[in-house]
Amino acid sequence: MYKEENAKVRTAVLNAVEGIPDEVLNTKPSPEEWSPMQILDHLQLMESVVAQNIRKELAKSESEKVRKKPIQLTVSRLIKVDAPKYVVPTNGFVSLEEMKKRLEASTALLDQVYRDAPEDALEAKSLPHPVFGKVPLIQWFPFVGLHEKRHLKQLEKTLEKLQGSTN
């Protein structure tokens, strides 16, 4: 099931930032790159939007049934995708404690949508993805974890740059 895999990735993400001061986490390595905190913000925004969009799609009477897509390719950072506006992170200062609460809330929302959804509806309905086209709703739950895994690599590289510049 998706939850265990997503939880493993989330633990790795949180472990990567544990013990690092909020000032460092809110620092961008360069003007065009996200800070570690912005990466975390992007993750919770994405998870929330996915959950909300699945909920909306489930409420519709008509939705296209499509074949499963190779969502495991999400982890590859060779394919560059600009974040849609609605999941672009804030530029404001956020504490790690606050961000952990936001991440917990987005995960709780996704889990609630999964629990409330009839399995057959998750298989029979779909949502558009900017790279994969229409993706069955059932695949959006593991997609969140794969997306997070992709950004874990980005987070680790960003932290290396920041910590390399402070040593």
Side-chain angles (χ1 to χ4, degrees):
M1 195 173 125
Y2 83 93
K3 280 178 75 164
E4 290 80 18
E5 205 50 46
N6 287 13
K8 276 188 217 167
V9 178
R10 176 63 56 83
T11 298
V13 165
L14 293 175
N15 285 344
V17 296
E18 198 56 50
I20 299 173
D22 288 342
E23 293 69 28
V24 174
L25 293 176
N26 281 276
T27 302
K28 292 177 162 198
S30 71
E32 57 282 340
E33 292 176 274
W34 287 347
S35 71
M37 196 60 71
Q38 286 178 304
I39 296 169
L40 297 181
D41 192 31
H42 171 70
L43 296 179
Q44 67 87 21
L45 287 168
M46 177 64 84
E47 189 169 41
S48 295
V49 166
V50 166
Q52 291 161 4
N53 287 345
I54 291 170
R55 188 176 272 162
K56 284 181 201 162
E57 198 63 29
L58 285 167
K60 291 181 183 177
S61 56
E62 294 295 314
S63 180
E64 191 177 344
K65 182 174 182 166
V66 295
R67 292 176 194 253
K68 289 193 172 181
K69 301 300 187 301
I71 60 169
Q72 64 279 5
L73 296 175
T74 301
V75 179
S76 171
R77 296 208 27 93
L78 298 174
I79 305 162
K80 293 290 177 201
V81 181
D82 285 334
K85 284 186 179 75
Y86 51 87
V87 291
V88 170
T90 180
N91 282 317
F93 185 94
V94 182
S95 71
L96 181 56
E97 193 171 317
E98 171 59 28
M99 188 52 67
K100 283 180 179 179
K101 288 177 187 168
R102 292 181 193 179
L103 287 161
E104 284 174 23
S106 63
T107 298
L109 177 62
L110 188 70
D111 291 347
Q112 186 64 53
V113 169
Y114 185 81
R115 280 194 307 274
D116 293 348
E119 183 84 25
D120 59 334
L122 292 175
E123 297 280 354
K125 296 183 175 201
S126 63
L127 279 172
H129 183 278
V131 174
F132 301 115
K134 289 201 171 203
V135 174
L137 297 185
I138 194 73
Q139 282 193 288
W140 282 94
F141 299 93
F143 168 80
V144 168
L146 293 167
H147 173 260
E148 209 152 301
K149 198 172 196 179
R150 170 192 184 95
H151 284 289
L152 174 58
K153 293 176 190 174
Q154 177 190 11
L155 179 63
E156 289 167 344
K157 283 186 176 157
T158 301
L159 289 167
E160 273 176 35
K161 287 180 190 175
L162 291 171
Q163 292 171 327
S165 68
T166 58
N167 291 341

